[in-house]
Amino acid sequence: MLVTLITSKTRLKLLIKFFAYATNKGYLRGLAEEFHESTNAIRKELNQLTDAGYLTRAQQDNKVIYQANSKHPLFNSLQRLIRDYLGMDELIDNIFEKSGDIEQISLIGDYAKGIDSGILEVCILGDDLDRGYLSLLAGKSSEILQKSVKLYFEEQPASEHQIILFKNK
C-alpha cells in the first residue's frame, strides 16, 4: 500500500487532496482545519512539497494558496498513483458510461481524510442519475477494489471532508 511508501500521514493527506483532482486548492489554516492537524505539521509538508516542485504557491488576498503543479514532470505519474491508491480511475470511468448528467464526483469520508479504512465513500451529484446502475457498479467495484464502496447522491454537510474528483465546469 501507499501508506508504507509515504510514511507521513499528513503528506499522504496532502497528496490525496491535491492530486486526486488537479484543480483542488488549499491554504494553510484551511488545510489544518480540514485534516485536524496542527498548522506546523501542514506548513512543514507544504514547504517540502513546494520546494520539490510538486505544489505551486500563489498569493490570493491575504492567503497563500497551494495547488498541484500540473507542469511538474511527475505530475501525471503522481496523479495516477494517487488515483490507483484510491481505486478511483476505474470507478470514475465506469460512472461516466451510462450514469446520467453528472455535475460533480467527490470523495468523502475516511479516504478524504487520508485514512485507509477500506470503505470508499463517493458522492455523485447530477440530474437524471441512473441510481440503479450506479449501485450495481458500486457492488462490482467493491469486488474489484476489495474495498466497500458506498455511494451518496445528495450534497454532504459542509463540515464533511471532501475531495473533488470531477466537476463539470
Side-chain angles (χ1 to χ4, degrees), residues 7-159:
T7 56
S8 166
K9 290 182 181 181
T10 304
R11 182 173 296 169
L12 182 59
K13 289 176 189 178
L14 289 169
L15 289 172
I16 290 171
K17 168 81 175 178
F18 292 119
F19 285 91
Y21 188 63
T23 60
N24 283 341
K25 297 178 181 180
Y27 63 97
L28 178 63
R29 289 204 186 277
L31 292 167
E33 289 174 17
E34 182 178 335
F35 297 144
H36 303 287
E37 299 268 350
S38 72
T39 53
N40 286 338
I42 298 291
R43 179 183 295 113
K44 176 185 169 194
E45 296 297 342
L46 286 172
N47 286 339
Q48 289 179 352
L49 290 168
T50 303
D51 291 346
Y54 297 118
L55 299 180
T56 60
R57 135 184 3 171
Q59 188 76 29
Q60 189 177 58
D61 299 323
N62 290 334
K63 298 176 183 170
V64 177
I65 304 295
Y66 295 88
Q67 185 174 6
N69 180 2
S70 60
K71 295 179 181 165
H72 192 280
L74 295 176
F75 171 79
N76 290 329
S77 298
L78 273 171
Q79 189 172 52
R80 199 168 29 257
L81 179 67
I82 294 299
R83 287 185 170 186
D84 284 347
Y85 167 69
L86 297 172
M88 294 306 298
D89 273 350
E90 185 174 335
L91 182 61
I92 289 173
D93 289 345
N94 289 329
I95 286 172
F96 284 113
E97 283 180 17
K98 306 183 225 176
S99 57
D101 185 21
I102 294 175
E103 293 173 17
Q104 181 174 305
I105 301 173
S106 301
L107 180 66
I108 59 175
D110 287 346
Y111 278 91
K113 297 174 193 172
I115 301 168
D116 184 1
S117 67
I119 301 172
L120 193 61
E121 296 177 87
V122 180
C123 179
I124 303 171
L125 303 176
D127 296 323
D128 301 322
L129 296 175
D130 186 344
R131 292 181 183 201
Y133 168 74
L134 291 170
S135 295
L136 178 67
L137 181 61
K140 288 181 180 181
S141 296
S142 290
E143 292 173 19
I144 293 169
L145 300 172
Q146 296 183 350
K147 296 177 185 177
S148 175
V149 177
K150 294 184 178 182
L151 300 181
Y152 300 90
F153 301 102
E154 310 223 347
E155 193 75 44
Q156 296 300 305
S159 64

